[in-house]
Amino acid sequence: MRTSNPTLSDSTFSKVAAGVTNPMTLQGTVNKTALLLMILLVPAAYTWNATMANPAASGMYIAVGAIVGLILAVITSFKMEWSPITAPLYAAAEGVFLGAISARYNMVYEGIVLQAVMLTCGTLLGLLAAYSMRLIKATENFKLGIVAATGGIMLVYLATMVLRMFNIDIPYIHGSGTVGIGFSVVVVIIAALNLVMDFDFIENGCAQGAPKYMEWYASFGLLVTLVWLYLEMLRLLAKLADRK
């Protein structure tokens, strides 16, 4: 079982599946994913309204949400058994972050957030249907390709963050030109295909009889991918809007 999602890495389930009497189920994972999304929406609505009322406050919400979310993600990745507590906290932190950053995007590109949400939900449902009908299969070569592509994207983003500390930007790929839009399209596709990896990973975890708390951990991993996909949708739509 290989996935490019760092929170759902190789052999995660097999490490904890031995001797389990109350295993995780697919329905339980679906329920907990829905709960995490509802938890995310509450602080997101608050920081959205707060940012709309006072745009200057958005920086604080974005920084706090991003930092706390990153810390909780790292803790959850290393302490999977804590996920029933840390996963909801992560969802809340991401809500703080996403509400503020979404409001900032919407101030510049009115209506872009609704479009990004609809595209993200549509992609999730479409890929889930395709995976359920076995139209898309997470073969070994498929997994290796997505792992390599995701790793490359993460390296580009890491290099971008480091270079911007010195007021240097990587040319073309972050702009609204043809190259920049093409880059964003590729990133959106890779982020979306990570969902297929996550579906496969969850299915295998249920088949292997992983413990019940892994429903929370698997839902947390899926949420990580959804947040990434939504942010990439926002970036792509913003670049397309700049072209008009």
Side-chain angles (χ1 to χ4, degrees):
M1 296 188 303
R2 181 178 288 110
T3 170
S4 54
N5 187 331
T7 66
L8 300 178
S9 58
D10 286 359
S11 305
T12 297
F13 289 114
S14 60
K15 294 175 185 177
V16 295
V20 172
T21 57
N22 185 24
M24 71 179 290
T25 64
L26 183 59
Q27 187 59 54
T29 305
V30 170
N31 292 342
K32 289 174 176 61
T33 301
L35 180 58
L36 291 183
L37 289 172
M38 287 189 286
I39 292 172
L40 183 148
L41 288 175
V42 174
Y46 173 80
T47 54
W48 169 283
N49 291 328
T51 299
M52 287 297 189
N54 181 18
S58 63
M60 178 188 67
Y61 293 127
I62 292 171
V64 170
I67 293 171
V68 174
L70 177 60
I71 292 171
L72 288 167
V74 172
I75 292 173
T76 308
S77 298
F78 284 98
K79 289 290 185 179
M80 295 177 289
E81 64 273 19
W82 293 2
S83 57
I85 296 173
T86 56
L89 292 176
Y90 169 81
E94 288 302 296
V96 171
F97 168 75
L98 290 178
I101 200 168
S102 296
R104 287 179 61 167
Y105 267 98
N106 203 67
M107 288 176 184
V108 180
Y109 312 98
E110 187 175 356
I112 192 176
V113 171
L114 179 59
Q115 295 174 33
V117 169
M118 292 178 64
L119 286 171
T120 302
C121 292
T123 301
L124 172 64
L125 295 176
L127 286 174
L128 180 58
Y131 180 79
S132 299
M133 293 184 289
R134 304 305 178 190
L135 299 177
I136 298 178
K137 296 181 180 180
T139 64
E140 192 66 19
N141 288 335
F142 175 90
K143 295 173 185 178
L144 287 171
I146 300 304
V147 168
T150 303
I153 292 168
M154 294 302 108
L155 287 176
V156 170
Y157 282 163
L158 180 61
T160 297
M161 288 188 290
V162 172
L163 289 173
R164 282 180 176 173
M165 294 179 184
F166 302 95
N167 294 320
I168 302 173
D169 208 352
I170 299 177
Y172 303 117
I173 65 173
H174 299 299
S176 58
T178 302
V179 174
I181 291 174
F183 175 77
S184 286
V185 169
V186 171
V187 174
V188 165
I189 292 172
I190 297 302
L193 291 178
N194 268 271
L195 291 173
V196 176
M197 305 276 282
D198 296 341
F199 298 153
D200 178 71
F201 193 82
I202 292 168
E203 184 178 44
N204 287 332
C206 295
Q208 292 186 24
K212 198 70 174 176
Y213 68 79
M214 292 298 288
E215 292 177 353
W216 285 106
Y217 184 79
S219 300
F220 154 76
L222 185 57
L223 185 62
V224 170
T225 303
L226 286 173
V227 168
W228 179 33
L229 177 60
Y230 168 73
L231 289 173
E232 296 302 338
M233 288 290 190
L234 275 179
R235 292 190 181 101
L236 174 59
L237 291 171
K239 288 180 180 181
L240 291 172
D242 284 338
R243 294 272 293 191
K244 294 179 180 179

